[in-house]
Amino acid sequence: DERKTHVHIRGDFLRPGDEVQPGTLEMLHALRARGEKPDRFDLAQWLIDPANPLTARVAVNHVWKDLFGRALVGSVNDFGTRGEKPSHPELLDWLATEFVRSDWDVRAMQRLIVTSAVYRQASKVSPALLEHDPENRLLARGPRVRLPAELIRDTALAAAGIPFVLHVGGHP
């Protein structure tokens, strides 16, 4: 038997309000159901549908943040109306379309970013530029910290085919 879901009045689970049906917001592209009613698989397909740009944008924003230390959308966990606007919306859109085009290949996205001219810039900064753009929102210099040492070590070991076991507190 199917469980009914309700909007809770003022968020109180003891006070169920109107019953809700599975679906997505009307302003977004339609959720296509394979059966009578949409299920979780249909939602998963909807999330990665090329007509839904949000998932790819969020993923690319996280990759950018990991590599630059600062995301294109500063409010990484809030892409909604209360979140910040992207510092470079065209770049975010282009990266998201490339991510979908590459069949969601994270490694290819990382390679694309780290081989870009903006990432390969020196991290040196003049006092005038530091005063004008202290957070590097204009992408006029490379990131001060590229990657954590542990990530470099683990990637090098994996690329070399050297087996390693991760333990809490480091290697035994």
Side-chain angles (χ1 to χ4, degrees):
D1 194 32
E2 198 173 296
R3 182 180 78 164
K4 294 184 182 205
T5 304
H6 297 268
V7 172
H8 297 134
I9 298 171
R10 302 194 74 163
D12 183 357
F13 72 95
L14 296 174
R15 297 176 53 202
D18 297 336
E19 184 178 343
V20 294
Q21 300 302 319
T24 56
L25 298 173
E26 290 179 15
M27 70 175 90
L28 302 174
H29 72 284
L31 175 67
R32 293 184 292 275
R34 295 168 297 137
E36 220 174 282
K37 279 191 168 184
D39 58 16
R40 290 178 185 203
F41 183 77
D42 296 324
L43 179 61
Q45 293 297 328
W46 178 84
L47 283 171
I48 62 168
D49 189 317
N52 179 9
L54 184 60
T55 306
R57 285 183 177 134
V58 169
V60 164
N61 195 49
H62 277 278
V63 172
W64 188 273
K65 182 182 183 303
D66 290 344
L67 295 172
F68 279 88
R70 177 173 183 80
L72 292 169
V73 177
S75 52
V76 177
N77 295 321
D78 188 356
F79 259 63
T81 57
R82 294 184 182 167
E84 292 180 28
K85 292 186 190 266
S87 59
H88 297 76
E90 296 86 7
L91 175 60
L92 182 63
D93 289 345
W94 181 77
L95 289 171
T97 57
E98 287 297 304
F99 191 46
V100 172
R101 189 190 59 72
S102 74
D103 201 25
W104 304 84
D105 187 343
V106 175
R107 181 180 255 169
M109 180 53 53
Q110 290 170 332
R111 183 179 298 113
L112 178 67
I113 293 172
V114 299
T115 58
S116 70
V118 69
Y119 187 83
R120 294 181 307 168
Q121 295 179 100
S123 60
K124 285 180 95 174
V125 59
S126 68
L129 183 58
L130 187 60
E131 184 179 328
H132 180 68
D133 184 23
E135 296 178 354
N136 196 24
R137 294 191 59 84
L138 299 175
L139 305 175
R141 60 186 181 274
R144 188 177 62 79
V145 177
R146 303 283 174 151
L147 293 172
E150 295 81 8
L151 185 60
I152 294 170
R153 177 204 61 210
D154 294 346
T155 304
L157 289 172
I162 299 171
F164 63 98
V165 179
L166 296 177
H167 294 279
V168 175
H171 294 283

